[in-house]
Amino acid sequence: MGKIEAKDVHFYYGAFHALKGITMEIPQNKVVAFIGPSGCGKSTFLRLFNRMNDLIAGARLDGSIKIDGQDIYAPGIEVDDLRKNVGMVFQRPNPFPKSIFDNIAYGLRVNGIKDKEFIRQRVEESLRGAALWDEVKDKLNASAYALSGGQQQRLCIARAMAVSPSVLLMDEPASALDPISTAKVEELICELRKEVTIVIVTHNMQQASRVSDMTAFFYMGELVEYDDTKTIFINPHEEATQNYITGRFG
């Protein structure tokens, strides 16, 4: 599960037309990178997939977005349920002011799970999945704030994965990290594609080419080109894509 279909999506911040007629299909268990200059609409589009933009006054969407065939903007959709299925990792690590263990267990408890053994097992599985278990297994009761920035970001990924989402959204997840931590997050993305569909916004061309199966190039609120990552980086069809990738603008 985790297939995303966007059809003729227009999005407005008040009078500002931020996204213009975007149609795109994201297959399940693929990593899709959104690239483009700052302000081109890629983060805005990403946040439509878990309705984060609902919180902004004057925001308005035309068109449809479906996840696994369900229109996520249809009347009666429970946004909390949607966000359990569509996890989010932000640019800067944002662990809760709790222990490492309680950070991971939080979503399970909110979902009403009380079985302590199941929670303990799921915490371990999630930390192992985030390649963090060996680094923290002896200090699960320590504050998450005691971890390094890179460890905190992997903790946030583990926290998102603990509730078994089908989609994971990542908004520049490595931009605040050092090169070693970035490499670990990228390895993690490649591992997690077996379990979830991943959509990542990145300014880093090399990162997009390393981790993604498909790449979408956005410019001025429009989707200019969307194709296999190899095609986008080696033989793009649009001149604007070629110019951006070769650094002529952006």
Side-chain angles (χ1 to χ4, degrees):
M1 304 294 274
K3 181 181 179 183
I4 302 170
E5 299 164 280
K7 191 168 183 184
D8 198 25
V9 170
H10 292 262
F11 185 76
Y12 303 84
Y13 293 114
F16 177 63
H17 195 176
L19 296 172
K20 301 164 187 171
I22 294 176
T23 294
M24 166 189 281
E25 194 170 292
I26 296 175
Q28 66 185 58
N29 295 97
K30 296 290 185 186
V31 179
V32 175
F34 290 176
I35 62 170
S38 294
C40 67
K42 54 192 186 296
S43 287
T44 295
F45 190 51
L46 180 86
R47 286 162 182 257
L48 290 177
F49 298 155
N50 71 345
R51 296 186 50 170
M52 287 282 288
N53 295 330
D54 288 15
L55 307 170
I56 300 167
R60 179 167 63 85
L61 172 86
D62 291 334
S64 76
I65 296 176
K66 293 180 179 178
I67 296 180
D68 295 326
Q70 182 177 50
D71 185 345
I72 63 170
Y73 284 85
I77 289 288
E78 288 288 339
V79 176
D80 287 347
D81 289 340
L82 170 68
R83 290 182 186 150
K84 287 174 198 168
N85 190 44
V86 184
M88 180 104 188
V89 177
F90 296 92
Q91 187 170 359
R92 296 198 171 273
N94 61 338
F96 300 144
K98 299 173 181 289
S99 70
I100 293 166
F101 185 95
D102 286 342
N103 261 271
I104 308 297
Y106 179 83
L108 299 167
R109 290 171 176 153
V110 165
N111 288 353
I113 295 169
K114 294 186 170 66
D115 183 333
K116 288 183 178 175
E117 181 54 30
F118 176 82
I119 290 173
R120 189 204 64 73
Q121 191 178 339
R122 194 72 194 115
V123 168
E124 179 175 338
E125 286 170 1
S126 301
L127 288 168
R128 283 189 185 280
L132 197 55
W133 175 252
D134 289 339
E135 295 167 46
V136 304
K137 63 185 178 186
D138 298 325
K139 48 184 178 184
L140 294 175
N141 293 322
S143 168
Y145 290 159
L147 298 174
S148 70
Q151 288 174 322
Q152 286 185 12
Q153 191 64 305
R154 281 183 286 143
L155 179 79
C156 292
I157 294 169
R159 184 178 68 197
M161 290 298 296
V163 294
S164 303
S166 65
V167 176
L168 186 60
L169 309 177
M170 298 180 145
D171 197 353
E172 298 195 54
S175 66
L177 304 180
D178 62 84
I180 292 171
S181 297
T182 296
K184 287 186 176 178
V185 168
E186 288 182 6
E187 285 168 22
L188 186 49
I189 290 168
C190 294
E191 277 298 306
L192 291 176
R193 63 153 57 91
K194 297 169 190 168
E195 299 173 49
V196 289
T197 303
I198 297 174
V199 188
I200 176 171
V201 167
T202 180
H203 274 108
N204 185 324
M205 297 293 117
Q206 290 76 23
Q207 183 171 75
S209 66
R210 283 193 298 263
V211 304
S212 69
D213 300 296
M214 303 179 77
T215 297
F217 171 56
F218 290 81
Y219 186 62
M220 305 280 284
E222 296 183 356
L223 176 58
V224 176
E225 189 165 356
Y226 176 48
D227 211 326
D228 290 339
T229 293
K230 195 174 277 187
T231 301
I232 292 287
F233 281 92
I234 295 173
N235 190 26
H237 300 294
E238 301 296 329
E239 188 179 353
T241 312
Q242 178 74 33
N243 289 343
Y244 182 70
I245 283 165
T246 53
R248 286 182 203 146
F249 76 95

